[in-house]
Amino acid sequence: MTGLPFDVPDAERLATVNDATVADLPRFVPAAVEWETDPVPDVRAAGRDAAADLLAAEGLRDGATVAVTAGSRGIHDFPAMIEGAIERLQEAGCEPFVFPSMGSHGGATAEGQRRVLADLGMTEESLGCPVRSSMEVVEAGEYDGDPVYADRNAAEADAVLLANRIKPHTDFSDRIESGLCKMAVIGMGKHRGAEMMHNAALRGDMGAEIRGRARILFEELPVVGGIALIEDATDRATHVEGVPVDGILDREPELLERAYGELPTLPVDDLDLLIVDEMGKEVSGTGMDTNVIGRTCFRGEPEPDRPDYTRIYVRSLTPPSHGNGLGIGLADVVHADLVADLDLGDTYVNVATSGETDRARIPLVVPDDASALLLAPSVTGTPDPGELRIARIPNTMEPGRLLVSEPLVPELEVREGVTLGEPRRLSFEDGDLTDGEH
């Protein structure tokens, strides 16, 4: 842990809050959810086929430059899908290039965004084509009195190919949420476009704003279509599809409905404490998927009734986040190491762009894991440590691998698709958990 600009209470000081000790905590049981899945057998080939379908519809000339989007999320099969699409474009005589399409992520700098792609396994060497990273934008049009921005490199290309995962959004609910339209408006809009979009959303309807601005971009830019990917509950592609530009606004809601059916969640929706080992930008734009933790924390959007997790404790920030801790405010308690890893500059630029400052608030900071667990009897409404309903997950992309406290076992024993291991005591070293098993 590096130095912090404030003093974190030590474990001895926090121990005076109540009489609980580590020995009073319940035993824990490893649990795993077995989901039914139908993964795409060859994602690279699926990317090739999707690009081929769009090429057939557009008939691009030999030597045409094609700008291909790539975002900041850790989508397991995205690199392979894009590599296949690029390969097919090159075979057709096109000259594709990838450009970072991630709003203000990467510290809102060209080099920062290039570094984000590299951390996600997308470099010029792996992709087999140039990566053109710039924060320069052009005004592609106007919507409701505001300019609509687009990456200059993309706007000057002969064609633009959108590519993104279709999934429920972490800020709002609509017939179009996170997908091709959002990639066009926020990702391709870079810092200025993302900021303009989120500010407009705070004044009105985010879904309607995205749809309206996407329509302008589709009309004014040479967008040929998009490649949509849907993940299953194990983060593998279960569907890849090329969608012509004139069909995106109609087809994306249908794909979103399917994505909702694939969304992985914890097998229990009532906890005293949820422990999340890591949050990060490649996990979710909000560090943790709000659909998994049951907290939205976005002005104008209602909070969900379920799941209901009284307190959330987050232990660390992923290295690919490069210090961007947007979403830390969704937690109630965080480890001091997480706070030490924050780059407040990157975090504040991102939160100002997204428009919701509450998500950057720093919650209670504890020196170690034991302190967080021993605070739980005082802050959850369950004063008996042995009765605490606790679950621990690696991150919100993997809610099916977990460690649960014994009070949850009777409920999970009768839950279809859940397997349970043997109960054991938590182990600590210098106050921090030593066992990484979930």
Side-chain angles (χ1 to χ4, degrees), residues 165-169 172-182 207-208 210-212 214-215 218 228-230 239 241 243-262:
R165 172 180 59 189
I166 308 293
K167 69 176 289 291
H169 201 276
F172 69 98
S173 297
D174 190 74
R175 62 180 182 272
I176 286 179
E177 297 183 21
S178 186
L180 300 176
C181 290
K182 176 176 174 281
I210 287 179
R211 284 182 271 115
R215 190 173 286 107
F218 297 163
L229 178 151
I230 296 175
H239 182 74
E241 177 180 333
V243 185
V245 64
D246 58 4
I248 290 177
L249 288 165
D250 292 326
R251 179 59 176 151
E252 193 164 326
E254 298 169 347
L255 295 172
L256 178 62
E257 183 176 353
R258 177 170 177 175
Y260 261 102
E262 299 284 351

Side-chain angles (χ1 to χ4, degrees), residues 139-223:
E139 290 189 22
E142 185 178 290
Y143 179 78
D144 199 22
D146 293 328
V148 178
Y149 295 106
D151 179 282
R152 179 178 292 278
N153 286 322
E156 294 176 352
D158 295 314
V160 178
L161 177 60
L162 304 170
N164 201 14
R165 172 180 59 189
I166 308 293
K167 69 176 289 291
H169 201 276
T170 55
D171 293 348
F172 69 98
S173 297
D174 190 74
R175 62 180 182 272
I176 286 179
E177 297 183 21
S178 186
L180 300 176
C181 290
K182 176 176 174 281
M183 176 60 75
V185 175
I186 296 178
M188 193 163 64
K190 310 300 266 191
H191 183 196
R192 294 184 70 183
E195 184 177 36
M196 181 70 70
M197 170 64 232
H198 284 110
N199 282 336
L202 288 171
R203 300 192 304 266
D205 182 329
M206 191 166 187
E209 295 288 342
I210 287 179
R211 284 182 271 115
R213 284 169 167 73
R215 190 173 286 107
I216 297 297
L217 291 168
F218 297 163
E219 292 172 354
E220 299 298 329
L221 295 183
V223 179

Side-chain angles (χ1 to χ4, degrees), residues 31 39 46 51 88 91 113 197 213 232 243 246 283 296 373 376 380 423:
R88 183 66 187 87
E91 289 175 358
Q113 295 200 345
M197 170 64 232
R213 284 169 167 73
D232 62 25
V243 185
D246 58 4
V283 174
T296 301
L373 283 157
T380 60

Side-chain angles (χ1 to χ4, degrees), residues 275-279 392-402 438:
I275 301 173
V276 182
D277 280 353
E278 60 180 8
M279 59 174 284
R392 176 186 172 194
I393 60 173
N395 53 63
T396 56
M397 290 181 68
E398 302 176 87
R401 288 199 302 123
L402 61 167
H438 296 89

